[in-house]
Each structure stands twice: as structure tokens, then as C-alpha cells.
Amino acid sequence: MNLEKSKKRIAKRVKMSHQGYPEITIEYFGVDSTCANGVSVKFCQEEGAEIQEQRLASAGDAREDEVIQSAIVKIIERSEAKSVVQVEGVSVVS
């Protein structure tokens, strides 16, 4: 799947706001706020349930990595998530 198509599909799901559970939370992180070297995809089956996390790393910016964006779309589809939340910006980790 091409990069722009993946990004549009994710953005569309994020815009739908909270629709219930299961829920996916997407958070980009990096060494500074300009480049996301990785992404954390968290899955919650129901309120109060244990959160499962998968991290994906990139040599460049994960927000512009076609493979990572396509993987996020597949995770959303396969988990049958009703809600998708995306944390704004890039979380800085040291």
C-alpha cells in the first residue's frame, strides 16, 4: 500500500473519535521532536484490560516510512479496532 493511502486511512480512523473498544493508540517517538525514529502501537481490548504494545523502529522518520504506515493500517484492520487515537507530535525519549 502506498504511503499517502496509508496515512489517509489512519487519519480517517483517528477523526472518527472514540467509538468504544477495542482501541488502538498510536504514539510516535524519537530523540528530538522533529524526527520520529519509532512508533508505539498500543492495543486495549476493553476498559481496564491489560494494554498490549508493539514498537516499530525506522532508520529515518517513521511517519514517512511506507512499510511502517502500512503495518499500522494492517494492525488496525486485524484487531477490528473501533477507536483509533493518535498522540499529537513526537514524544522525545533519551
Side-chain angles (χ1 to χ4, degrees), residues 36-81:
N37 301 101
V39 61
S40 168
V41 181
K42 297 176 184 173
F43 174 78
C44 185
Q45 181 67 35
E46 57 191 32
E47 189 172 1
E50 185 177 338
I51 296 174
Q52 300 172 14
E53 180 180 19
Q54 181 173 2
R55 288 188 172 223
L56 306 167
S58 175
D61 194 335
R63 297 171 294 182
E64 302 300 323
D65 188 317
E66 184 175 341
V67 174
I68 289 178
Q69 295 301 310
S70 295
I72 293 170
V73 170
K74 294 295 181 192
I75 291 169
I76 293 168
E77 290 173 353
R78 290 184 181 148
S79 68
E80 298 179 357

